[in-house]
Amino acid sequence: MAEDDPCDTGLVLGLGFGGKPSLSNPKHRRRDPSCPNQTSAGALLTLSLSDDAFTARTPAFNNPLSTVKKEMDVGVDQEAMEADLVSISLRASDEEDDGAARKKLRLTKEQSSLLEDRFKEHSTLNPKQKQVLAKQLNLRPRQVEVWFQNRRARTKLKQTEVDCEVLKRCCEALTDENRRLQKELQELKAIKLSATPLYMQLPAATLSICPSCESLAGANVDSTKAGAGSAFVLAPKHHLYKPFSHPATC
DNA sequence: AATGTCAAATAGATAT
DNA sequence: ATATCTATTTGACATT
């Protein structure tokens, strides 16, 4: 997993060692001040470049369009690199901007389209497929893996956006439907109201019907107040219907 | 030069 | 233990 090391930018820095410092702990990999690989002022550093990293990061080997110049700018010579490992010394101040520490690769059109083709076939790769594809593309397996990860993330994001749009439309349609039904309900209520006798419009709780004589009784209705102009007149001498206390006969 | 966008890369969380 | 997902950072490039 050494190739996955973020501090493994191909340029391996160590204090006095030609090899890689212990970077097995992934938590130490971020390029932040706590990263053990980061330069401390004035320290004499050893810089090593593996051929693997070189292959992945050097335009001639990888991407003619990418502008990976800094590797060359730091004085790393290709012949030495091809001899597997090269160690050069530089002062920390030379590495200060450490822009070369994480050079970003840009995939060529050919690489991208091949990756896209493979992705269409399978959105994930098994280790064997990854190896083969990496070889085909002249990339490190890790780069292929990362590309697939990001590609899956993009696909998912796109799908989420599509889903979101569908739900939005669905919501709008339901809102419209709800509005329409509310309106329809109002209209039906209005029709019902106009077709219902006034006494039937009274709240049900105020009325009761005696099951025996079937006369209508208003719980709190004072019949004397029902004037001649009233639409209907309650039984002049009504009795209150009490469901549980009504005598056998009226 | 400032800013925005895209995508590669990283780190940590989660799933298997 | 390993693979995958997710959020984030970062470098390259385009646009203004």
Side-chain angles (χ1 to χ4, degrees):
Chain A
M1 279 273 190
E3 68 171 2
D4 293 347
D5 217 308
C7 292
D8 171 22
T9 57
L11 300 171
V12 180
L13 304 172
L15 290 168
F17 300 105
K20 296 184 179 185
S22 84
L23 295 168
S24 53
N25 184 352
K27 302 194 178 185
H28 293 159
R29 303 193 302 185
R30 193 190 274 277
R31 275 182 56 226
D32 65 17
S34 67
C35 178
N37 264 3
Q38 301 223 291
T39 61
S40 55
L44 186 65
L45 301 167
T46 300
L47 184 152
S48 304
L49 183 56
S50 71
D51 63 346
D52 179 34
F54 172 75
T55 300
R57 293 165 186 281
T58 306
F61 278 73
N62 179 39
N63 185 347
L65 298 178
S66 66
T67 52
V68 187
K69 285 178 278 182
K70 288 186 181 171
E71 280 90 340
M72 296 308 181
D73 294 343
V74 296
V76 178
D77 107 306
Q78 184 166 336
E79 231 179 74
M81 284 190 290
E82 284 177 322
D84 195 354
L85 283 174
V86 73
S87 291
I88 62 172
S89 295
L90 74 165
R91 296 215 152 266
S93 55
D94 296 332
E95 183 68 8
E96 206 89 310
D97 64 354
D98 95 356
R102 184 182 166 185
K103 200 63 196 155
K104 190 161 283 190
L105 157 85
R106 301 297 289 199
L107 299 172
T108 63
K109 279 204 168 85
E110 292 73 25
Q111 286 172 320
S112 294
S113 67
L114 183 52
L115 283 163
E116 284 290 348
D117 289 346
R118 290 291 180 277
F119 186 81
K120 276 177 199 159
E121 293 164 18
H122 298 108
S123 64
T124 54
L125 292 174
N126 62 37
K128 181 71 189 167
Q129 291 171 315
K130 197 197 300 173
Q131 284 287 344
V132 171
L133 187 53
K135 205 160 198 176
Q136 269 184 289
L137 292 162
N138 228 343
L139 294 172
R140 282 176 295 158
R142 171 65 180 161
Q143 289 175 298
V144 173
E145 184 182 308
V146 166
W147 187 91
F148 269 74
Q149 275 171 10
N150 286 317
R151 187 65 181 77
R152 282 193 293 271
R154 264 176 268 144
T155 302
K156 189 173 182 182
L157 184 66
K158 229 172 197 172
Q159 188 55 51
T160 303
E161 283 169 5
V162 169
D163 291 349
C164 190
E165 199 56 40
V166 168
L167 283 172
K168 208 170 130 193
R169 291 223 188 87
C170 198
C171 182
E172 283 167 6
L174 285 170
T175 303
D176 283 351
E177 176 71 355
N178 187 41
R179 212 171 285 138
R180 190 186 65 75
L181 288 169
Q182 292 281 0
K183 199 178 161 197
E184 195 178 318
L185 182 62
Q186 291 302 322
E187 286 168 3
L188 287 171
K189 276 182 177 170
I191 292 168
K192 189 186 171 198
L193 201 65
S194 64
T196 308
L198 187 56
Y199 76 90
M200 289 182 72
Q201 295 175 24
L202 286 170
T206 66
L207 300 172
S208 46
I209 295 173
C210 171
S212 304
C213 63
E214 294 193 342
S215 63
L216 189 64
N220 297 312
V221 176
D222 182 352
S223 63
T224 59
K225 287 182 183 164
S230 192
F232 72 98
V233 179
L234 291 174
K237 218 186 160 213
H238 66 273
H239 58 267
L240 278 176
Y241 165 55
K242 293 181 182 148
F244 301 107
S245 62
H246 198 277
T249 57
C250 289

